[in-house]
Amino acid sequence: MIVTLIVVCEVGFWVLLAAGLATRYLLKMPRTGLALLLCEPLLEVLLLVVTAIDLKNGADPNWRHGIAALYIGYTVGHGHRTVKWLDGHAAHRLGGAPPPVRPPRYGMARARHEGAVWLGTVTAAAVASGLLLLAARYVGDDGNTDGLRSWILVAWRAAGIHGLIALSYAIWPKKAPENAPEQAPGKTPEKAPGKASAVPARHPQDVPDLPVGRAREDEEQVR
């Protein structure tokens, strides 16, 4: 039942997200769309309540309850980032807004961005750990809570691996390419818009006839 509910919550997350964005930008009903987007956390609350009821009814804590806690933690840590990213693209393509700003790709700016994403993973691990500890306390000493506590290690192991990946961008920052892309053969380079030529434009009648002028000077020297 828990696994089925996780699948339902995952599908419901994307359905509510698509319905909220479509209502907000296609139907021009921003308040209704925002209300649909705000219903997203209710799915996690429903999953949490059903998990607690399942444990209360005497179900043995197992991997299904651990996955439920990890799913809720991931939604808390990274769900807002996903919604914000999709909302920016929907506003651009459906609402005529400017294109969303892309995350940095090079240097320490990329390292800071990866660090911010890693903090979301730390938040997810902390939330999942708190839920697992509460579930273990809820079951009590009479039940087998080792399966719940083992998922705490899984959550922080994933956060540690992600932290090492994010740290690598700070230790070995990715450098931007120095050379511009090569020009395709057979094409002439275009001038940058708004850039003036190095040679000032002049009217044809103001340009001296250099060969004729030089011939006149040679004729005067002969005389």
Side-chain angles (χ1 to χ4, degrees):
M1 179 180 179
I2 299 298
V3 176
T4 302
L5 187 59
I6 292 175
V7 174
V8 171
C9 288
E10 179 67 18
V11 174
F13 174 86
W14 293 105
V15 170
L16 282 176
L17 183 58
L21 295 177
T23 304
R24 191 173 185 181
Y25 296 108
L26 291 180
L27 301 181
K28 307 299 181 182
M29 301 170 63
R31 292 184 178 180
T32 305
L34 180 61
L36 290 174
L37 293 177
L38 291 178
C39 290
E40 299 280 5
L42 296 179
L43 297 175
E44 280 65 47
V45 174
L46 175 63
L47 179 60
L48 179 61
V49 171
V50 172
T51 303
I53 293 176
D54 190 44
L55 292 174
K56 184 66 175 179
N57 291 335
D60 293 331
N62 51 34
W63 61 271
R64 294 187 293 270
H65 302 94
I67 290 181
L70 293 182
Y71 175 79
I72 296 174
Y74 179 86
T75 304
V76 174
H78 293 287
H80 68 287
R81 190 183 305 277
T82 303
V83 172
K84 183 179 179 181
W85 182 80
L86 290 174
D87 182 71
H89 283 275
H92 169 56
R93 296 184 178 274
L94 304 178
V101 180
R102 294 184 178 181
R105 300 176 58 187
Y106 307 106
M108 295 306 298
R110 173 67 181 273
R112 288 190 292 268
H113 171 74
E114 295 295 333
V117 177
W118 172 70
L119 290 179
T121 303
V122 172
T123 302
V127 171
S129 299
L131 293 176
L132 290 169
L133 289 175
L134 288 175
R137 185 176 180 180
Y138 183 74
V139 173
D141 298 334
D142 296 335
N144 182 14
T145 59
D146 293 338
L148 293 176
R149 299 181 187 276
S150 64
W151 282 96
I152 298 178
L153 298 178
V154 173
W156 287 107
R157 187 180 298 115
I161 294 174
H162 189 183
L164 293 176
I165 296 174
L167 184 62
S168 66
Y169 286 95
I171 299 177
W172 301 286
K174 188 176 180 180
K175 296 182 179 179
E178 298 179 355
N179 299 329
E182 295 183 2
Q183 180 185 340
K187 293 186 178 180
T188 56
E190 298 179 357
K191 294 182 180 179
K195 185 176 181 180
S197 174
V199 180
R202 301 175 66 180
H203 196 276
Q205 67 181 6
D206 297 331
V207 179
D209 191 353
L210 295 180
V212 175
R214 182 172 299 177
R216 291 178 178 177
E217 292 178 0
D218 295 341
E219 183 179 354
E220 292 179 355
Q221 290 179 1
V222 172
R223 293 178 180 177

